[in-house]
Amino acid sequence: MNLYQNRFAEKLREALTAVSPTIGIVLLLSFTIAPIPPSILLLFLFGAVMLIVGMMFFTLGAELAMTPVGERIGTRIAQSRKLGIVLLLCFVLGFVITISEPDLQVLAEQVPSVPNAVLIVAVAAGVGVFLMIAMLRMLFSKTLRMLLIIFYLLIFALAFFVPDDFISVAFDSGGVTTGPMTVPFIMALGVGFAAVRSDKHAEDDSFGLVALCSIGPILAVLLLGLLYHPENTAYTPSEIPVIRDSVELWKYFATGLPQYIEEIAISLLPIVAFFAVFQIISLKMKGRALLKVVIGILYTYVGLVLFLTGVNVGFMPAGNYLGETIAGLSYRWVLIPIGMVIGYFIVKAEPAVYVLKEQVEEITSGAISGEAMGLSLSLGVAASIGLAMIRVLTGISIFWFILPGYFIALCLSFFVPKIFTAIAFDSGGVASGPMTATFLLPFAMGACQAVGGNIVQDAFGVVAMVAMTPLITIQVMGAIYKYRSEHTEDSGPVEASYLDTWADDDIIEL
């Protein structure tokens, strides 16, 4: 019992540390240049409390259940030695996990041109196919770099034939579908696969699964753009609620809570069913190990319900109103630095980021620290939100940012250790989670509405920008480490933190 109390206290501290800066920034803006009505401020603060408690439960649940179950399933699938079964299970698992992703439901509601069910099934199939490709890469030790170059060339070639209204949404879908449900499972699956391989680069190849699985949704939505030609693709923003007292505040959250209780239950059901079947047939976990997983799944469920209720009900109205108010100022350019500051801190509150940082520290035995990862992600997201706000204010096409951004990222992959490329492209999907979709996207929408822009073309794409810039910043970090290692080889023994063996790509073997 004391152990669990200590773990809860640790996770609560992490959640408070992650969310407090964002709360502070919003409060500072509300009392200075962007006054917020009391009703929206109350929604935001109440939502922040739910978000913190939800993050505490979710991170503990992912640690207890999602990660170990993913590793065990990955190990058993790889041990089957039957390629057909491996690929079939990977497709089913990718499909099931993606349908379980709450962020995908949010995206589907925001795309007026395609029926929700069609979009969800297409995106889930895209993730399933690319999880199969990712596993084939691991099984046959193929280079991630070449696959990324081939598929992104295909994406950009296809994008030239797709209507403009689909492009931003397509790139957004790649980031949104790798959220708090998908990332723990897919990353742990890669670790499980790597455990079966005996070569020295197996652990390097355990990264890159999220990177490849992020490509599937982009291609799926671009293909849908070729098939669907709707006359009206205009997006209608939701109305900002008016709350007069605390009773109405509670009623507003009480109305939203049952919706997410049901939604997360439906989302978790396929994963639980898949685990139950695998447990009976293959895993056969017993006693404390099985109880720990069950408790972890319950924690994950409670955490996601509280987290998504808090961000959807409390954060979305505040983000939308702030963006609209700041963009309505005579000095609307201030939207760019404010967006960058919010982006720097808000990525720290993404649940999947914690999973990635812990996984990276574990696989690299601390050689790549969680702090360095966090700093790189924060800098990348800050830059991406600044660029996104420039798009909102000017209406510049997303192509002018995405094309050079991915070109730079793919070029960097030739000059940095392989593991940094894999982690960087994984980080792109991880950084663009529910906090981005439910605060930064409404923030951009509100600003776009205030300046009279096209919301579908100019505001959408924020998630895509957030997913792109970490590819560059983390690989830059890899280039710095490689430079240090090459220039310390002749100066005698150095600390392990300089990663002195990385010059030969033996990154893990310190």
Side-chain angles (χ1 to χ4, degrees), residues 62-133:
E63 194 175 288
L64 292 175
M66 294 300 178
T67 301
V69 167
E71 288 181 11
R72 285 172 181 263
I73 290 177
T75 302
R76 290 303 173 92
I77 290 176
Q79 286 174 341
S80 70
R81 305 295 182 185
K82 296 180 180 178
L83 187 59
I85 294 176
V86 169
L87 295 180
L88 176 63
L89 288 174
C90 286
F91 178 82
V92 171
L93 192 56
F95 190 91
V96 165
I97 293 172
T98 305
I99 289 180
S100 303
E101 185 58 62
D103 289 354
L104 182 56
Q105 313 293 331
V106 178
L107 178 74
E109 291 292 335
Q110 294 175 344
V111 183
S113 50
V114 181
N116 289 8
V118 173
L119 183 69
I120 290 170
V121 170
V123 168
V127 173
V129 169
F130 273 81
L131 186 58
M132 291 166 57
I133 293 171

Side-chain angles (χ1 to χ4, degrees), residues 345-356:
F345 288 106
I346 206 167
V347 71
K348 298 176 185 292
E350 291 287 4
V353 168
Y354 278 93
V355 179
L356 176 70

Side-chain angles (χ1 to χ4, degrees), residues 130-153 186-187 197 201-215 409-414 416-428 471 474-475 505 507:
F130 273 81
L131 186 58
M132 291 166 57
I133 293 171
M135 290 307 175
L136 285 172
R137 179 188 78 88
M138 290 190 66
L139 288 173
F140 295 103
S141 303
K142 297 300 180 183
T143 306
L144 176 65
R145 180 199 305 136
M146 291 310 301
L147 289 176
L148 291 173
I149 291 171
I150 291 168
F151 287 122
Y152 276 108
L153 284 175
I186 288 181
M187 290 201 68
R197 281 174 49 184
H201 292 301
E203 289 181 325
D204 295 32
D205 289 342
S206 68
F207 294 101
L209 270 73
V210 175
L212 287 170
C213 289
S214 297
I215 294 173
L410 291 171
C411 286
L412 281 171
S413 68
F414 288 91
V416 301
K418 289 187 296 183
I419 194 170
F420 274 101
T421 298
I423 291 173
F425 278 84
D426 278 356
S427 302
L471 316 184
I474 289 179
Q475 289 193 99
D505 279 341
I507 303 145

Side-chain angles (χ1 to χ4, degrees), residues 207 355-373:
F207 294 101
V355 179
L356 176 70
K357 290 196 295 187
E358 289 180 3
Q359 205 87 318
V360 169
E361 280 199 339
E362 179 184 343
I363 293 298
T364 63
S365 302
I368 305 173
S369 71
E371 289 183 7
M373 278 287 301

Side-chain angles (χ1 to χ4, degrees), residues 68-69 71-74 76 274-275 277-286:
V69 167
E71 288 181 11
R72 285 172 181 263
I73 290 177
R76 290 303 173 92
F274 191 94
F275 167 69
V277 171
F278 229 83
Q279 161 68 12
I280 294 170
I281 296 174
S282 180
L283 295 179
K284 303 186 187 301
M285 298 170 64
K286 296 179 181 179

